[in-house]
Amino acid sequence: MPTPPPGAERLDVFMARANARYYATHPLLNDFITAPEISQVFGELLGAWAATVWVSMGSPAQVVLAEAGPGRGTLMSDMLRLITARVPAFAQALEVHLVETSPLMRQAQAAALAPFAARFPNTSPVWHTTLDTLPDGPLILVANEFLDALPIRQFLHTPEGWQEHYVQNGTFCLVPCPAPSLPDGRTLDPDCVVELCEPALDVARLLGQRFARTPGAALFLDYGHHSSQTGDSLQALRHARPAKPLDAAGEADLTAHVDFTAFAAAARHTGAAVWGAVTQGPFLRALGLMERTEHLAAHAGPQDAADLRSGAHRLAAPEKMGHLFRVMALTSPSLPMPPGFMKGPAE
């Protein structure tokens, strides 16, 4: 194998290091806003989704309710508000587990969930740094904008053959390499850029193996594509504005579009049933986004009602987040189609 230039590191190594620093030092995440911060209805709908899946599992007496990349804790807080109020049996059965590496973010999550832990001690969160330490048993996992922050590798097909992006002194350099291998077996065209997110594929394989032997379901909501699409999607946000991805490592949020095609193939090969990916707008509408929004708006003041309707539009409209964001579920093969998916398991 060719030797990289002195001081150069693979793009995924650079991205992992930069994002670890960013999330450890930017606890309020002011550079972007996620769906749970836009409307409380988003989390309530996912809470109802989780409750419905729990019933489809046979309402087990103990179940792990986990979130990967829980941000400020807003999503889990909204889910628990719905669950504790509407499905008390589920509230008694669940244990909350959060996959989070940042100590500062864990503090924010603990504060957000403290009101529930006071009434339901089993909702006091247990934290993990990786998914593979979640306890055994039935599992319901949600992950909103989690996969997009996982580090990627980039491969370029050039007249000289395949080369991989490395980072050296804040700029890209190319190192010759073998052709990349994607789990869905797609044909890679000449003169293309291919992104490979190995940590995401590891997540898919881990959950596929788990769901093949133990009842479980996982819901992923993220921006990405579900096709044979290739291309450079690496991007950065700094001070809420687009930035150059290689500038000021650790001061910007680095993300890339999720390759749901590869993610689905990795999960399916290890035993999971795959549902979607579907676009976020129809998914949330199927769960009752507009009905719940109007119910809340009818009992709110004029400004709050306007904010609720504006939030629902932002989440579901095709020109907003409704088309860019996609939703995929992985489940045990024995479980029925989860809510929000209109078709059978992805082929």
Side-chain angles (χ1 to χ4, degrees):
M1 291 289 294
T3 302
E9 59 184 351
R10 259 179 21 190
L11 173 59
D12 59 334
V13 176
F14 170 87
M15 185 174 176
R17 179 170 55 82
N19 272 350
R21 179 183 171 193
Y22 176 80
Y23 286 108
T25 57
H26 293 70
L28 299 182
L29 303 180
N30 289 325
D31 287 324
F32 55 88
I33 184 170
T34 61
E37 311 293 339
I38 293 172
S39 173
Q40 71 178 71
V41 179
F42 182 83
E44 292 174 352
L45 294 179
L46 296 200
W49 187 93
T52 303
V53 170
W54 174 70
V55 172
S56 76
M57 291 179 174
S59 304
Q62 289 185 312
V63 61
V64 173
L65 178 62
E67 183 180 356
R72 299 186 182 99
T74 305
L75 174 55
M76 183 58 73
S77 177
D78 289 340
M79 291 177 65
L80 289 176
R81 186 177 62 253
L82 182 286
I83 292 167
T84 54
R86 301 291 182 89
V87 198
F90 183 30
Q92 295 290 346
L94 63 84
E95 293 181 351
V96 174
H97 292 257
L98 304 177
V99 181
E100 175 61 68
T101 59
S102 168
L104 292 176
M105 296 305 296
R106 290 185 179 192
Q107 292 178 17
Q109 294 151 16
L113 301 187
F116 301 99
R119 293 185 293 128
F120 296 87
N122 54 306
T123 65
S124 182
V126 177
W127 281 276
H128 304 259
T129 57
T130 58
L131 282 168
D132 58 6
T133 61
L134 291 173
D136 292 334
L139 167 68
I140 300 173
L141 169 73
V142 295
N144 179 64
E145 293 199 54
F146 168 69
L147 297 176
D148 68 275
L150 297 179
I152 62 165
R153 299 172 67 182
Q154 280 187 340
F155 302 87
L156 292 78
H157 188 274
T158 71
E160 292 75 33
W162 283 99
Q163 302 195 55
E164 182 170 4
H165 261 155
Y166 278 62
V167 179
Q168 182 185 40
N169 299 325
T171 61
F172 280 126
C173 62
L174 292 174
V175 176
C177 66
S181 177
L182 296 173
D184 53 282
R186 78 187 67 163
T187 300
L188 301 178
D189 297 325
D191 303 318
C192 67
V193 177
V194 175
E195 294 179 339
L196 178 63
C197 185
E198 293 174 328
L201 300 181
D202 290 341
V203 167
R205 295 182 184 110
L206 173 72
L207 293 174
Q209 292 167 355
R210 177 173 180 141
F211 294 163
R213 66 176 187 270
T214 306
L219 186 68
F220 294 90
L221 304 96
D222 229 312
Y223 57 90
H225 54 86
H226 187 47
S227 66
S228 60
Q229 179 178 332
T230 58
D232 179 5
S233 72
L234 181 66
Q235 56 192 309
L237 280 177
R238 186 182 185 194
H239 305 315
R241 295 178 178 275
K244 295 180 179 180
L246 303 188
D247 287 352
E251 296 301 317
D253 174 46
L254 299 182
T255 63
H257 284 211
V258 177
D259 185 345
F260 281 107
T261 303
F263 188 76
R268 190 181 303 109
H269 290 165
T270 50
V274 179
W275 308 86
V278 298
T279 51
Q280 179 174 282
F283 175 80
L284 293 179
R285 289 177 184 274
L287 295 187
L289 172 66
M290 297 308 174
E291 292 82 356
R292 177 60 177 163
T293 297
E294 287 305 316
H295 174 80
L296 292 174
H299 297 84
Q303 185 57 56
D304 287 341
D307 290 343
L308 283 163
R309 294 184 176 109
S310 174
H313 176 77
R314 184 171 177 180
L315 290 172
E319 69 275 15
K320 300 291 186 179
M321 298 170 69
H323 182 73
L324 175 62
F325 279 71
R326 294 178 179 269
V327 187
M328 177 171 284
L330 313 180
T331 70
S332 296
S334 60
L335 294 182
M337 179 178 69
F341 296 90
M342 303 302 181
K343 300 177 181 179
E347 296 298 331

